[in-house]
Amino acid sequence: MRKELDKQLCEKYPLLYRNRNAPMTETCMCWGFDCGEGWYNIIDTLSALLCSDFNRAKEGYENIKEYYENEGKWPWNNGKVITPEEVEERRLKMVKAEESVPTVVQVKEKFGTLRFYIDSGTEEQYNYIRFAEKLSARTCETCGAPGKIRGPGSYSYYTACDEHTTPQHVSH
Ligand SMILES: [Zn+2]
């Protein structure tokens, strides 16, 4: 995957890709996103889902903090006064949610499909990953258009649209 796209993902999801630049003795993530950019949208969407609890909690905290510091009350809820305890409660919720963001260990293509490895996760998070991996088997790794698994080519299987399929693998 192109450097700019790699960088984009790491900047958008710093927690998830916190090991992107760790040494290779510690993580395979040092190799970056080892697949074609046709899967960028799949990886981007998956990344957003894996961070969604945290992002929601973070937004909730930033929201209450801003109103607490500026007006001291909600602009709705009949102008209910915000207490420091409520602010702290939301901060703790955010800290807890942060722990639910897994660390990505490796992202690569294997036998034509996406492989996405995390250090640990919830059942829901593993389901998102399974879905993304399945979707990659129907998405051209080169351009992102609908595709299917082809091959084996000179190396292995690969997923491609008609245009990015080597002539010998075009189905008639
Ligand atoms: Zn294609």
Side-chain angles (χ1 to χ4, degrees):
M1 189 173 293
R2 255 184 302 155
K3 258 206 174 98
E4 309 96 87
L5 295 179
D6 182 316
K7 200 165 157 247
Q8 253 174 48
L9 289 169
C10 294
E11 283 174 0
K12 241 171 132 175
Y13 312 103
L15 287 175
L16 211 51
Y17 300 112
R18 36 168 97 77
N19 274 356
R20 172 63 185 87
N21 294 309
M24 66 173 126
T25 45
E26 282 172 30
T27 177
C28 290
M29 211 46 222
C30 64
W31 308 115
F33 298 84
D34 197 9
C35 65
E37 56 198 61
W39 291 345
Y40 178 85
N41 281 333
I42 296 179
I43 296 171
D44 186 25
T45 309
L46 173 61
S47 302
L49 286 170
L50 293 175
C51 297
S52 57
D53 284 350
F54 170 67
N55 285 340
R56 212 173 302 126
K58 185 165 172 268
E59 214 173 281
Y61 169 63
E62 286 170 352
N63 208 4
I64 198 170
K65 190 164 166 274
E66 196 187 323
Y67 286 121
Y68 176 70
E69 284 171 0
N70 292 324
E71 328 275 336
K73 59 188 171 89
W74 291 111
W76 45 79
N77 285 352
N78 292 324
K80 189 176 167 290
V81 171
I82 301 168
T83 65
E85 289 77 23
E86 285 171 305
V87 180
E88 179 60 6
E89 194 182 303
R90 287 220 192 174
R91 192 186 67 80
L92 290 175
K93 212 171 155 193
M94 176 183 72
V95 171
K96 195 157 182 284
E98 186 172 340
E99 287 162 16
S100 75
V101 180
T103 298
V104 179
V105 174
Q106 189 174 25
V107 182
K108 65 173 180 180
E109 175 275 337
K110 194 178 178 189
F111 300 126
T113 65
L114 174 70
R115 303 298 160 96
F116 194 99
Y117 301 109
I118 55 176
D119 60 342
S120 71
T122 62
E123 200 183 333
E124 188 185 33
Q125 287 170 329
Y126 281 110
N127 281 335
Y128 291 143
I129 292 173
R130 225 166 285 145
F131 182 81
E133 289 177 345
K134 292 265 183 207
L135 196 57
S136 73
R138 296 161 164 257
T139 308
C140 177
E141 191 186 347
T142 307
C143 74
K148 58 182 181 184
I149 296 187
R150 326 263 178 167
S154 40
Y155 299 103
S156 173
Y157 292 90
Y158 63 103
T159 299
C161 64
D162 287 343
E163 195 193 324
H164 291 113
T165 297
T166 319
Q168 74 197 80
H169 297 134
V170 175
S171 46
H172 297 284

